[in-house]
Amino acid sequence: MRLLKVATCNLNNWALDFDCNLKNIKESIGRAKEAGAVIRLGPELEITGYGCEDHFLELDTVTHAWECLKDLLLGDWTDGILCSFGMPVIKGSERYNCQVLCLNRKIIMIRPKLWLANDGNYRELRWFTAWKQKDQLEDFQLPNEISVALKQKSVPFGYGFIQFLDTAVAAEICEELFTPIPPHADLALNGVEVFMNASGSHHQLRKLDYRIRAFISATHSRGGVYMYSNHQGCDGGRLYFDGCSCVVVNGDMIAQGSQFSLKDVEVVVAQVDLDAVAGFRGSISSFQEQASCKTKIPSVAVPYNLCQPFNLKMSLSSPLKINYHSPEEEIAFGPGCWLWDYLRRSGASGFLLPLSGGADSSSVAAIVGCMCQLVVKEISNGDEQVKADAIRIGHYANGEFPTDSREFAKRIFYTVFMGSENSSQETRMLAKKLADEIGSWRLDVSIDTVVSAFLSLFQTLTGKRPCYKVDGGSNVENLGLQNIQARIRMVLAFMLASLLPWVHNKPGFYLVLGSSNVDEGLRGYLTKYDCSSADINPIGSISKQDLRTFLRWAATHLGYSSLAEIEAAPPTAELEPIRSNYSQLDEVDMGMTYEELSVYGRLRKVFHCGPVTMFKNLCYRWGARLTPSESYSPDDNRFDLRQFLYNARWPYQFRKIDELVKELDGEKVPFSESGDHEKMGTTLDGGGGMGVIAAGSGNPKSGH
């Protein structure tokens, strides 16, 4: 037997906070060594933080990374343990995303990334160059200060692996695993038994299964030990990195870290028998045949043994059942953990949420409540960092600290019901009930006097006073009256967020939380500068369908029973007067259901359908329930790149749809004369449209 103990980790690093990152790296190495591991793998770009973005273009960022690496190598951190550190490296005039492999205070080799992530939320080609020379390792001259300190002039640089006396180890960096021909395929044929994947992978609903299947597939048909390390938390940007560091052997998961956690450092250790890898490969005839005619990959020879012989005192890690969270748990824990990182790193004293009693704002409130529960639970488990952060943010004194989530929420979470003459007693009651269940400090405010003041000013200026449609007003008047209410709430929310800490003798400010779901952003069913405008919108990439399921789950599992009543109520903006024969409803206003919007969103973004192709797909799929579109937010213009000014009537595309309709049913009347285009396509402000962002539009949660 060749026994090998390996350690991988989740690190909650912070972009450009080199002290924080170095502290976490050292703690992870210390824990790995304490557990007896001889390989320690950290996340991609762990020294700088993954989310530095355009700061990667600054020489300071690269220089500081080398300084931190020097600190690690001059100490005893790498004594007796192979460590893989992620950092940017400049070679010649190119900047590379690299893993620096170190052992016994020396750099063994530098492995640049071959295939860069450059889609969705990722822009690595903006900052880095992909390494393209795969046939040889080049000599890299170390920076002079590093060279002098380490007494090492140069190191091998490029695509290759490390050949130890008793095994071979190689790096595979994040995106490379998901390419059509991943590096581990040829590396396995060259005898590499241990693969180290340093990653920077963000949370996305239902994505973990896709990721884990890739690890399993990497070793299921070719054998090997696959180590995976990831960031965990908010490192300064919009993404939440969801950890789940793990170790897979011959297609079996043998160690798995948490997906959601408030910990800064989590180390996952596994002990494997590399003879099991050799035996597995030896039993596959096709592997043997392909290995005999492989393309040779360069290597670095290191005269050092990593493995230990057979020892009954050392137990092997066994296959385990993979832990997956339900989508409802992901909605609770992912945004909840991200909010905690944002809060503790922003200098804010808490959150403020306009809580209407509707499904969206109630979902956000429940997520904050979940965050408070996670904080108290982690403190009770002995996490001193979480405890220190909670004491500071909650302004505890005399040795006190949070022991009850409702009491903690009272200190850091403010909810405000901003009612008007159009608000119902039901939503006011539900908002109060939910706030009490969570424990938030709450206000009940009427905005009618402010609305009246605006209308009086308008009447003074123009001589006219607008009326709601139900009272005989036009669509334009109806739209304007709704926008006034929505925008007043935004202004009031930010005023309260800046001044309430002063009122309560607290330092800092409150972060305003938004509550606009992905479907509303997709449809343009929102008022610009209303609840869609905030410091943070935790549900901006979550569909209404998923939120409703989450509310039912949270009513039971988070203990907020009022959420069941909130979920059961029909969605309404409550911006128009309630009459005996009229009550405003979201889906009536939009001319489509939220379930239909989820289908449009998935076809538009995930399957890249234009209007005509979308129509053809709907002819086959209509009525079938597709998985909601949860992989994006149309508000994030870095991820969903589209124009903001459309001809929302889509004249050419809709003519094509008309022709298809006539072919399908023999109808002689053009589809456009039926009025359905207006139902699906336009808003008074030029936004909306079937499957189209109404970016920059001013249309409210009302007319279309």
Side-chain angles (χ1 to χ4, degrees):
M1 301 181 79
R2 289 176 295 145
L3 301 180
L4 181 73
K5 183 167 280 191
V6 299
T8 183
C9 56
N10 297 330
L11 297 186
N12 192 337
N13 287 2
W14 192 2
L16 296 178
D17 189 338
F18 293 94
D19 287 336
C20 165
N21 300 346
L22 196 57
K23 173 180 175 291
N24 289 346
I25 291 169
K26 288 179 176 179
E27 184 173 340
S28 70
I29 297 173
R31 292 191 195 177
K33 294 174 78 170
E34 186 178 352
V38 293
I39 297 179
R40 176 268 179 196
L41 171 65
E44 182 178 13
L45 296 167
E46 62 178 319
I47 292 179
T48 58
Y50 183 85
C52 295
E53 298 188 328
D54 280 1
H55 289 290
F56 283 125
L57 304 179
E58 301 166 3
L59 289 178
D60 277 4
T61 304
V62 181
T63 300
H64 297 331
W66 278 112
E67 291 165 351
C68 291
L69 182 65
K70 181 179 75 171
D71 183 299
L72 290 164
L73 292 175
L74 289 180
D76 62 357
W77 300 103
T78 61
D79 289 359
I81 186 169
L82 175 67
C83 291
S84 181
F85 302 116
M87 59 178 276
V89 174
I90 294 176
K91 183 179 186 296
S93 57
E94 305 97 45
R95 185 185 301 100
Y96 294 99
N97 176 348
C98 296
Q99 287 302 118
V100 182
L101 288 87
C102 305
L103 174 67
N104 293 330
R105 311 192 188 197
K106 298 292 182 183
I107 300 174
I108 305 300
M109 70 174 291
I110 299 176
R111 162 66 154 86
K113 195 170 182 178
L114 306 177
W115 305 107
L116 300 176
N118 207 59
D119 52 16
N121 282 303
Y122 299 99
R123 296 287 183 274
E124 290 183 13
L125 276 172
R126 181 180 174 99
W127 311 300
F128 301 108
T129 299
W131 180 255
K132 301 173 181 67
Q133 290 74 37
K134 299 181 183 178
D135 56 344
Q136 64 180 7
L137 290 167
E138 298 186 4
D139 201 43
F140 175 75
Q141 197 74 24
L142 291 172
N144 186 61
E145 184 181 345
I146 306 300
S147 176
V148 172
L150 302 183
K151 298 180 175 58
Q152 185 179 7
K153 292 184 178 180
S154 62
V155 297
F157 187 103
Y159 173 51
F161 62 92
I162 303 176
Q163 182 64 63
F164 290 95
L165 295 176
D166 48 5
T167 189
V169 179
E172 183 169 69
I173 308 174
C174 198
E175 177 73 9
E176 296 172 353
L177 168 65
F178 303 99
T179 56
I181 306 176
H184 68 253
D186 284 332
L187 288 166
L189 296 176
N190 276 262
V192 173
E193 295 178 310
V194 182
F195 305 95
M196 302 183 295
N197 188 311
S199 183
S201 187
H202 72 284
H203 173 238
Q204 179 179 312
L205 278 179
R206 305 176 178 92
K207 178 185 175 184
L208 183 60
D209 177 62
Y210 168 73
R211 198 189 302 163
I212 288 180
R213 279 189 282 114
F215 307 149
I216 291 173
S217 175
T219 60
H220 180 73
S221 60
R222 56 184 67 89
V225 177
Y226 205 93
M227 302 170 60
Y228 172 79
S229 177
N230 193 17
H231 294 273
Q232 188 172 62
C234 165
D235 78 340
R238 300 187 184 197
L239 302 181
Y240 177 78
F241 296 95
D242 62 339
C244 204
S245 295
C246 59
V247 181
V248 175
V249 177
N250 295 345
D252 291 322
M253 179 79 74
I254 64 168
Q256 180 183 3
S258 66
Q259 186 178 9
F260 308 109
S261 173
L262 303 185
K263 294 183 176 72
D264 282 344
V265 178
E266 181 180 357
V267 176
V268 178
V269 179
Q271 185 146 275
V272 301
D273 175 18
L274 292 183
D275 280 354
V277 174
F280 184 90
R281 291 175 173 177
S283 67
I284 304 173
S285 177
S286 59
F287 184 91
Q288 300 288 301
E289 290 297 315
Q290 291 186 358
S292 69
C293 57
K294 62 183 175 291
T295 300
K296 190 171 182 180
I297 297 174
S299 63
V300 177
V302 177
Y304 187 84
N305 285 296
L306 288 179
C307 301
Q308 295 190 38
F310 173 73
N311 186 341
L312 277 176
K313 294 181 180 180
M314 300 172 65
S315 59
L316 294 176
S317 300
S318 302
L320 50 80
K321 182 180 179 181
I322 300 171
N323 180 40
Y324 291 111
H325 288 284
S326 67
E328 296 78 23
E329 290 173 325
E330 290 187 71
I331 292 171
F333 301 145
C337 291
W338 188 91
L339 284 174
W340 176 246
D341 278 343
Y342 198 106
L343 178 61
R344 70 189 181 113
R345 289 173 171 170
S346 66
S349 298
F351 297 115
L352 184 139
L353 171 68
L355 180 59
S356 69
D360 293 334
S361 62
S362 297
S363 295
V364 174
I367 288 170
V368 177
C370 178
M371 181 204 79
C372 294
Q373 293 182 16
L374 290 173
V375 168
V376 171
K377 181 180 179 181
E378 203 59 46
I379 291 173
S380 68
N381 290 337
D383 192 307
E384 292 299 322
Q385 184 60 58
V386 174
K387 182 178 178 180
D389 288 332
I391 290 172
R392 173 177 53 84
I393 296 167
H395 305 289
Y396 288 88
N398 303 319
E400 295 181 341
F401 57 87
T403 57
D404 177 80
S405 63
R406 294 184 73 256
E407 186 276 334
F408 184 54
K410 190 82 171 180
R411 290 173 177 260
I412 60 99
F413 187 31
Y414 285 58
T415 55
V416 187
F417 181 84
M418 302 182 189
S420 73
E421 61 183 2
N422 302 321
S423 302
S424 67
Q425 282 301 119
E426 289 78 12
T427 54
R428 174 179 270 106
M429 178 270 295
L430 288 172
K432 179 181 184 303
K433 187 175 179 181
L434 178 59
D436 291 341
E437 289 173 345
I438 293 171
S440 70
W441 193 90
R442 66 180 299 275
L443 284 172
D444 192 321
V445 181
S446 173
I447 64 170
D448 288 333
T449 55
V450 186
V451 173
S452 179
F454 269 93
L455 292 177
S456 296
L457 175 61
F458 181 82
Q459 188 172 12
T460 301
L461 291 172
T462 65
K464 291 188 174 183
R465 193 176 184 93
C467 297
Y468 289 103
K469 192 172 183 179
V470 294
D471 296 327
S474 64
N475 283 329
V476 172
E477 294 171 77
N478 202 54
L479 197 66
L481 287 170
Q482 293 178 74
N483 279 331
I484 291 169
Q485 298 169 69
R487 287 172 177 150
I488 284 172
R489 286 171 173 145
M490 185 275 289
V491 173
L492 180 58
F494 275 96
M495 185 183 77
L496 292 172
S498 62
L499 291 177
L500 278 178
W502 166 70
V503 171
H504 294 149
N505 296 314
K506 291 182 179 180
F509 56 95
Y510 297 137
L511 294 163
V512 177
L513 298 179
S515 55
S516 181
N517 63 66
V518 69
D519 298 327
E520 293 173 346
L522 186 69
R523 179 63 177 85
Y525 184 65
L526 52 89
T527 299
K528 191 176 182 182
Y529 308 124
D530 71 333
C531 68
S532 62
S533 298
D535 293 310
I536 307 165
N537 182 11
I539 62 170
S541 62
I542 305 174
S543 75
K544 190 78 163 189
Q545 296 300 109
D546 275 334
L547 287 175
R548 295 188 71 167
T549 306
F550 163 70
L551 289 173
R552 292 193 294 270
W553 174 89
T556 300
H557 293 83
L558 295 182
Y560 307 143
S561 60
S562 61
L563 294 176
E565 299 175 67
I566 291 169
E567 189 278 328
T572 173
E574 292 195 336
L575 293 172
E576 296 183 67
I578 300 172
R579 298 287 187 264
S580 59
N581 62 345
Y582 178 77
S583 181
Q584 184 181 19
L585 297 174
D586 287 0
E587 294 182 336
V588 174
D589 282 348
M590 292 190 296
M592 61 188 71
T593 67
Y594 279 110
E595 185 168 4
E596 289 168 344
L597 265 177
S598 290
V599 175
Y600 296 155
R602 190 163 181 80
L603 289 174
R604 167 186 172 273
K605 180 60 184 177
V606 179
F607 294 102
H608 309 292
C609 294
V612 177
T613 304
M614 187 182 295
F615 175 80
K616 292 177 180 178
N617 274 273
L618 290 174
C619 288
Y620 290 105
R621 303 187 182 196
W622 202 258
R625 178 71 171 90
L626 298 181
T627 303
S629 50
E630 71 290 319
S631 61
Y632 66 98
S633 168
D635 184 51
D636 188 345
N637 295 323
R638 301 172 310 163
F639 179 32
D640 201 39
L641 303 177
R642 299 168 197 264
Q643 70 217 60
F644 58 82
L645 183 62
Y646 282 89
N647 183 347
R649 295 179 181 274
W650 300 88
Y652 184 90
Q653 293 89 337
F654 279 2
R655 278 202 310 274
K656 292 295 181 182
I657 294 176
D658 292 344
E659 294 169 7
L660 288 170
V661 171
K662 290 167 71 175
E663 289 177 16
L664 289 171
D665 59 16
E667 177 106 8
K668 292 184 179 180
V669 179
F671 184 59
S672 60
E673 293 179 9
S674 69
D676 283 344
H677 289 178
E678 293 299 315
K679 176 182 177 182
M680 290 193 290
T682 62
T683 68
L684 291 176
D685 293 292
M690 184 173 69
V692 179
I693 309 173
S697 68
N699 49 308
K701 277 192 167 182
S702 58
H704 56 277

